[in-house]
Amino acid sequence: MIRKAVVPAAGFGTRFLPASKSQPKEMLPIVDTPTIQYVVEEAVASGIRDILMIIGRGKRAIEEHFDRNFELEEELREKGKTEELRLLRRISELANIHFVWQKELRGLGDAVSCARDHVGHEPFAVLLGDTVMESTRPVTRQLMELYESRRESVVALEEVERSRVGRYGVIKGEPLTDALWKITGFVEKPTVEEAPSNLAIAGRYVFPPDIFDCLARTGTGKNNEIQLTDAMRLLISMQPMCGLRFEGERYDIGNKLDFIKTNVAFALRRPDMASELKDYMRTLLASETGRS
Ligand code: G1P
């Protein structure tokens, strides 16, 4: 049974400067909700109640977001803002959220290894804090079910345009079915020529605890960082791992353009703003076309 999730959220967010200079990129809102809250909600909807966040310098706002704010609650209560109060209370009641500090930012692999003591000898899920998934069946749940039935690591895969492989970890593999792949290799952020496929690691994983031994044996790799994919390469030399082309949509919040697209897509689904936003976009696009 998978009971624990690890959410790495310690990175500098250099792709999001200057916004991420003094606030965590994971706290940037999609409409009115911080990205990381969607990630926690996905873990909770998948049946996980124990969540460990790996945070680093400048990430205190994440801790505060999931903590209770009694003064604000009192203020809302006094003003009779019951809906806002309900929303606020819900955040701190979502799950048991724990925090651990990654003291030196040495890469995603190093961040995940900070979870070792908390996770112990259990399989666990990893959800990257800057990726939001939308699906009828939570993506982490899809991976967990596969882990339970196959008893091997599972990683979410997404087909990306060849020109974009350099943004991701890319797998080498053999299809078992249309959606399921046996993984035989990894390349982190390959050039188009180096990429063994266009199937990218999409920021959701389920691992057995053995990944921690692999991480401990992994030195610095691409970009002088301890890469999770390097530890995964070591893991597949000892045990099988599969990849799932999940059902659902991935939104990458780690870069500016995709962040804006995500905000527009989510806002267009909100009944309280969709119609006005559509009118605004039509007018805006018409004037842009007139200008070009
Ligand atoms: C990380 C991983 C990469 C994965 C990506 C998904 O890269 O190293 O393998 O494909 O997340 O978002 P990062 O985005 O931290 O550079």
Side-chain angles (χ1 to χ4, degrees):
M1 223 204 18
I2 291 142
R3 305 181 308 129
K4 293 178 181 173
V6 173
V7 178
F12 282 123
T14 42
R15 282 192 291 254
F16 233 112
L17 284 168
S20 55
K21 187 182 172 207
S22 65
Q23 64 172 332
K25 66 172 175 185
E26 296 82 3
M27 285 300 293
L28 292 171
I30 302 173
V31 186
D32 54 7
T33 303
T35 305
I36 197 146
Q37 189 178 323
Y38 290 94
V39 176
V40 167
E41 290 188 14
E42 180 191 329
V44 171
S46 301
I48 292 177
R49 287 286 172 281
D50 183 320
I51 298 171
L52 179 73
M53 290 193 184
I54 318 290
I55 54 173
R57 217 179 103 77
K59 302 278 182 163
R60 274 221 190 271
I62 300 181
E63 263 185 298
E64 278 179 32
H65 181 70
F66 291 102
D67 197 4
R68 285 189 66 179
N69 182 335
F70 293 102
E71 276 166 27
L72 182 56
E73 284 179 25
E74 197 45 46
E75 173 83 9
L76 294 173
R77 198 171 296 115
E78 268 171 25
K79 296 210 164 123
K81 300 200 165 186
T82 42
E83 179 52 18
E84 287 84 351
L85 184 61
R86 192 189 62 78
L87 276 177
L88 210 67
R89 289 292 298 273
R90 200 181 136 264
I91 300 169
S92 46
E93 286 163 2
L94 271 175
N96 292 323
I97 302 183
H98 311 268
F99 296 89
V100 67
W101 288 73
Q102 184 186 15
K103 295 189 187 69
E104 253 183 275
L105 301 189
R106 299 198 298 152
L108 179 60
D110 182 56
V112 173
S113 69
C114 294
R116 185 169 202 159
D117 286 348
H118 184 88
V119 169
H121 299 286
E122 298 183 28
F124 65 104
V126 174
L127 294 84
L128 300 193
D130 59 6
T131 301
V132 167
M133 296 289 195
E134 226 190 12
S135 54
T136 25
R137 217 155 46 97
V139 174
T140 299
R141 178 88 235 157
Q142 296 174 34
L143 304 192
M144 283 161 65
E145 283 169 6
L146 211 54
Y147 181 93
E148 311 266 336
S149 64
R150 296 178 63 89
R151 295 273 147 205
E152 62 187 46
S153 305
V154 193
V155 49
L157 298 178
E158 187 184 79
E159 211 172 306
V160 296
E161 275 173 36
R162 276 248 160 214
S163 58
R164 303 196 68 205
V165 285
R167 275 266 306 105
Y168 302 98
V170 172
I171 67 135
K172 183 173 181 210
E174 294 153 17
L176 298 172
T177 66
D178 195 31
L180 190 65
W181 286 66
K182 174 185 163 58
I183 299 183
T184 56
F186 294 101
V187 188
E188 180 65 23
K189 306 208 168 64
T191 61
V192 175
E193 295 74 36
E194 281 165 351
S197 74
N198 64 341
L199 288 173
I201 301 174
R204 299 289 185 270
Y205 317 72
V206 174
F207 292 121
D210 315 61
I211 190 73
F212 292 120
D213 284 336
C214 298
L215 282 165
R217 291 169 51 198
T218 301
T220 47
K222 193 99 185 185
N223 300 334
N224 218 14
E225 291 180 346
I226 298 179
Q227 295 291 349
L228 182 58
T229 36
D230 289 340
M232 290 161 75
R233 191 176 310 110
L234 204 54
L235 191 63
I236 58 168
S237 69
M238 297 180 280
Q239 48 179 268
M241 184 182 296
C242 63
L244 177 71
R245 290 174 59 182
F246 59 92
E247 293 159 26
E249 184 114 23
R250 183 179 65 91
Y251 295 91
D252 187 350
I253 317 300
N255 74 80
K256 296 170 194 178
L257 183 61
D258 284 335
F259 172 74
I260 306 240
K261 286 184 190 167
T262 306
N263 260 292
V264 174
F266 277 57
L268 284 174
R269 273 180 238 132
R270 285 274 296 254
D272 57 334
M273 53 183 79
S275 120
E276 216 173 304
L277 181 61
K278 273 185 208 160
D279 288 346
Y280 171 72
M281 286 168 73
R282 273 190 212 105
T283 320
L284 195 65
L285 287 174
S287 71
E288 281 293 312
T289 322
R291 229 181 275 161
S292 59

